[in-house]
Amino acid sequence: MAQGEDEEGEEAEESEAGEAPVLPSGAELAAAYFRSWDNPTRHLPLLQDKALSAAWSAALASAPPGTFEGKTVLEVGCGVGLLSVMAAKAGAARVIAVDGSAGAADAARRVARANGLQDRITVVHGAIQDVDLPGVAPGGVDVILSNWMGPGLLGGGMLPGLAHAVETWLRPGGLVLPDTASLWAVGLEDREALQDAKKTWGSVAGVDMTAALAQVIQHPRLDAARRKAQLLTAPQQLAQWRTSELRTGAVVDPAIGAYARCPLRLVAEREDRMFGLMLYWDAAWTFGGALGPGDGKPAVRLSTGPTAPATHYKQLVINFPRSLLLAPGDVLAGELELRPGGTDPRDLEVALRLAQQGGGAAAGSGAVAPIVGTFRVPYDLA
């Protein structure tokens, strides 16, 4: 009898061990995300980003007359309130600053008060999809501001919230700033970073840690190009978003379950080994096309590219499972799909299929198997 009880107990343990883990709900994931921003020090990298601050300052200084004066402005994901204060100082009659982090919202109120703008800046705590704007009717906002961009542009998952704000609160013909954002890819030679990783994951306190290296390398990372010679291909623009045209039902294409599916065609410019892709983005403040070529006043642009001034965003590096030997003119063709994370939609998943075409350095070695993989980019990747 005792033996039977033991066997039943073992079966019960096996059954419990075989059960799928209970995943957190969407509400729990959202709450954890917003709590992660409660400490104001989390906002420091953004606040200390000189290139980003300079772009916003230049944009507001270049705004056509009447853009902000007497207008109602909404900041989506206000953090500690920097852009809201800038908009009020640019002449906005009223600024509504919205953030889902209680700590950030409290800090934004304090910042508004410290700058003597508490009568014109109203801070609302809550996700933009869940809140009403005090004293503002739907379609009653003239300008929306947001630092929505994240790792790989779409990491952080702010685009659906921004789309809701545009669809619900922006008046016809209103502005969203920045008003365009483009994602780019370039082929990368990455020997130095891999050598550094091997040193880091070599011997630690006399313990051989190299067995973990393969897993470390397969995870995307934020990094900056160490030298221009690392860039093996001409850059390719993958996709562009016009923020004033965002709609909640189309941010994620229902036909493919992704933000975008992008044809990829990279052409090698010199002979070397390609270890992976580098993704980066550009944003532009054109004020609905009011600034740009031909009118004497250029649009304000911010690039996170490898040859642009450094930003805290850096570039997103995705290493391949193996390197590819390229010669000048070799073509890497395929597609790259960008989709919300499977467990947490604020993460970004990058699904890649890339095949080497042409002879070049690979000639005579037979067919080269394509690079295929899906890479998860956590929203808090730093």
Side-chain angles (χ1 to χ4, degrees):
M1 184 174 179
Q3 183 179 359
E5 289 176 352
D6 289 341
E7 289 175 352
E8 289 175 1
E10 289 174 2
E11 289 177 0
E13 288 177 5
E14 289 175 1
S15 175
E16 290 175 3
E19 292 178 358
V22 178
L23 298 177
S25 67
E28 290 170 330
L29 290 169
Y33 168 76
F34 288 127
R35 279 197 304 271
S36 74
W37 290 98
D38 279 350
N39 188 335
T41 58
R42 174 78 189 277
H43 302 261
L44 275 178
L46 186 145
L47 296 173
Q48 294 174 338
D49 190 324
K50 294 180 180 179
L52 178 64
S53 296
W56 275 107
S57 295
L60 269 62
S62 301
T67 298
F68 292 102
E69 293 84 350
K71 299 298 176 63
T72 298
V73 175
L74 168 64
E75 184 182 0
V76 178
C78 69
V80 296
L82 174 64
L83 297 186
S84 292
V85 170
M86 293 173 71
K89 289 186 174 183
R94 188 164 186 216
V95 181
I96 312 293
V98 178
D99 202 287
S101 162
D106 182 60
R109 290 188 190 96
R110 294 171 184 268
V111 168
R113 191 178 304 115
N115 284 271
L117 295 168
Q118 65 272 21
D119 293 335
R120 284 197 284 149
I121 297 177
T122 301
V123 179
V124 178
H125 170 226
I128 186 65
Q129 296 95 325
D130 301 331
V131 301
D132 290 325
L133 306 187
V136 180
V141 167
D142 300 294
V143 183
I144 295 176
L145 311 178
S146 184
N147 270 322
W148 61 270
M149 304 78 72
L153 182 60
L154 301 172
M158 285 188 65
L159 206 58
L162 183 61
H164 172 85
V166 171
E167 196 169 49
T168 305
W169 299 108
L170 189 66
R171 67 168 174 80
L175 293 175
V176 185
L177 301 175
D179 43 12
T180 65
S182 303
L183 183 65
W184 295 77
V186 65
L188 185 69
E189 178 274 303
D190 205 26
R191 285 186 183 87
E192 290 181 35
L194 294 178
Q195 289 170 357
D196 288 346
K198 288 178 181 178
K199 292 177 183 177
T200 301
W201 290 89
S203 176
V204 179
V207 178
D208 182 359
M209 302 296 293
T210 53
L213 183 60
Q215 187 174 354
V216 171
I217 292 173
Q218 74 181 9
H219 288 281
R221 73 179 195 274
L222 293 182
D223 206 345
R226 305 176 185 212
R227 46 194 168 77
K228 190 175 180 180
Q230 284 185 267
L231 311 179
L232 292 185
T233 71
Q236 179 191 340
Q237 181 175 308
L238 298 175
Q240 184 180 79
W241 286 263
R242 297 183 182 277
T243 49
S244 64
E245 299 174 2
L246 292 172
R247 296 296 180 268
T248 53
V251 168
V252 176
D253 186 337
I256 59 175
Y259 295 117
R261 181 177 289 165
C262 313
L264 195 59
R265 189 178 187 276
L266 299 171
V267 181
E269 295 185 324
R270 62 183 177 83
E271 182 173 332
D272 209 332
R273 286 200 171 272
M274 180 171 160
F275 288 81
L277 286 181
M278 175 174 277
L279 303 184
Y280 62 94
W281 52 264
D282 298 341
W285 291 254
T286 73
F287 294 88
L291 303 185
D295 62 6
K297 201 169 187 181
V300 176
R301 300 186 183 278
L302 172 70
S303 175
T304 64
T307 60
T311 73
H312 82 284
Y313 297 102
K314 301 181 182 178
Q315 295 98 44
L316 179 64
V317 175
I318 297 175
N319 284 118
F320 297 157
R322 66 181 190 283
S323 63
L324 298 174
L325 181 59
L326 304 182
D330 278 2
V331 174
L332 296 162
E335 68 178 20
L336 183 147
E337 187 172 282
L338 304 156
R339 55 195 185 218
T343 301
D344 191 333
R346 289 166 186 79
D347 294 341
L348 175 66
E349 285 187 358
V350 181
L352 176 68
R353 183 177 182 86
L354 194 62
Q356 185 173 353
Q357 299 177 351
S365 60
V368 179
I371 298 293
V372 180
T374 299
F375 306 87
R376 185 179 73 90
V377 182
Y379 68 76
D380 56 356
L381 184 65

